[in-house]
Amino acid sequence: MKAILPVYVHRLKESIPVWMEKLEHTDGIGRYKFAIDAYLPYDTLSSIMAHVVLNITQPNHEYLQDSEKALAWADYLLSHQREDGHIIDEPYEERSIAAEGMPPTEKIRLDLRRGHTRNVVYAAYMLGRPPRFLQSHEDGFRNPDDLVAWLEGLHWTNPWGAGSWASAALSFQFFNKLLGDENAATIIDAGRQWLIDRQDPETGTWSDGSEIAPHTLINGIFKVWMGIPFHGLPVQYPQPIIDLCIETLLHDPVVCEKFDACSVFDVATVLDICLRQVDHRKDEVAELAASYLPELECMVQPDGGMSYFPHGPIPGPNGPPLCPDIKQSEIGGTALHCQTLALLTNLCGLRDELGWVPCTEWYVGYAAASEAS
């Protein structure tokens, strides 16, 4: 039975570009705020989330295709890079820490900067600018042994977090290689080999061997594989990974009952990558992907975009960091759900009808099916 693109998705194709324009600030290209009602006029997190949305929904947008405008956007992002390589956007950082109710320790700041630096610098790179400074902070390792020891010490009982940090550390070496660091290639090789050796052949997962929920194991694969642009890891064991993804979509209560949108995105990304290697259970995946499309309609908001939850943004213990906890679209939720919709439609054969580009192509680097054939 042919899948059908829901009516609400057709409407989003028209409403999201209009809503996105309302988030732009006149100070310059790439300056976006988090929501129409937001605390900051613009910030770097909202900027890179806007970069995500445009790459998916409007890949021919002038900010992406006009080199002068793309470079202006990259320059805005890199204006926040410090000499140690970190991206530090102080208003965003302070609000993020305060919203979580955490003490502003150096460890908390380092943890926040690790992922944010990777994401901002890679966005600038895709827009045409290399980083301005080497990653010389404590995660910018100077020899392979130090990186491997650090990877060994990560908390692989939480593969989502450990996989994210592993990819971030290897992204720093990728950025350093761009700037001519002679040690970086060897360090990347060591990190890649460590990940290859630690992947479980029976399940395709990374973990410490403890009992971990299926969706969390998939989250870990997702985080490692989103680092493919940096470490070039081969896609191993796609068949058991597809089996685990299907099991997760059918039976993991966090996904199939509570509908954790982030996990659905992660599962869809992993499936899309696997099915570019093999056709294992492809028809089952297509049916499941189509069945999940209606689940995202509740995230659509009247102002034209989407929110992370039906009621609004992700709240921290002290409220959301960048906008009020009210029912409105916000760029984080819109970016997440646009990515999920692009992947689900690609998996169930509705890619051409929607016309959106999945992250496996514009971010990870796989060719579209028509280009690969």
Side-chain angles (χ1 to χ4, degrees), residues 68-224:
E68 185 176 338
K69 292 176 180 177
L71 291 174
W73 191 343
D75 288 340
Y76 160 66
L77 293 172
L78 292 175
S79 69
H80 295 83
Q81 190 174 30
R82 303 295 175 86
E83 288 189 8
D84 71 352
H86 273 138
I87 296 293
I88 302 179
D89 179 351
E90 290 180 349
Y92 156 69
E93 187 172 289
E94 296 306 322
R95 283 197 163 274
S96 297
I97 293 172
E100 290 300 320
M102 301 181 294
T105 63
E106 283 306 305
K107 181 182 184 305
I108 293 296
R109 293 187 187 280
L110 180 63
D111 289 349
L112 180 64
R113 291 169 186 171
R114 184 179 292 119
H116 193 57
T117 296
R118 170 195 56 203
N119 295 339
V120 170
V121 176
Y122 189 48
Y125 170 72
M126 285 189 284
L127 289 164
R129 287 277 195 232
R132 296 179 177 179
F133 303 106
L134 287 168
Q135 301 291 323
S136 60
H137 47 76
E138 62 186 83
D139 286 345
F141 299 101
R142 303 307 303 153
N143 66 73
D145 291 343
D146 287 348
L147 171 67
V148 167
W150 186 80
L151 292 172
E152 292 275 8
L154 292 176
H155 298 294
W156 290 98
T157 188
N158 173 16
W160 183 88
S164 178
W165 286 9
S167 287
L170 285 162
S171 79
F172 298 151
Q173 297 303 319
F174 174 81
F175 301 143
N176 284 353
K177 185 179 177 182
L178 291 175
L179 296 179
D181 184 342
E182 295 180 354
N183 297 319
T186 302
I187 298 172
I188 292 170
D189 289 345
R192 179 173 57 248
Q193 191 60 52
W194 188 92
L195 289 169
I196 289 171
D197 294 342
R198 297 311 188 279
Q199 191 174 11
D200 178 16
E202 293 186 7
T203 63
T205 61
W206 285 270
S207 75
D208 65 351
S210 59
E211 186 172 341
I212 299 171
H215 75 276
T216 304
L217 290 169
I218 297 295
N219 295 156
I221 297 171
F222 164 83
K223 284 296 187 180
V224 172

Side-chain angles (χ1 to χ4, degrees), residues 240-261:
I241 293 174
I242 291 171
D243 293 340
L244 182 61
C245 287
I246 291 175
E247 173 69 17
T248 300
L249 291 174
L250 288 174
H251 302 299
D252 190 319
V254 170
V255 176
C256 64
E257 294 177 15
K258 297 181 181 179
F259 190 77
D260 175 60

Side-chain angles (χ1 to χ4, degrees), residues 297-311:
E297 184 172 7
C298 62
M299 313 297 185
V300 179
Q301 299 295 347
D303 56 8
M306 307 177 82
S307 55
Y308 190 95
F309 292 118
H311 58 76

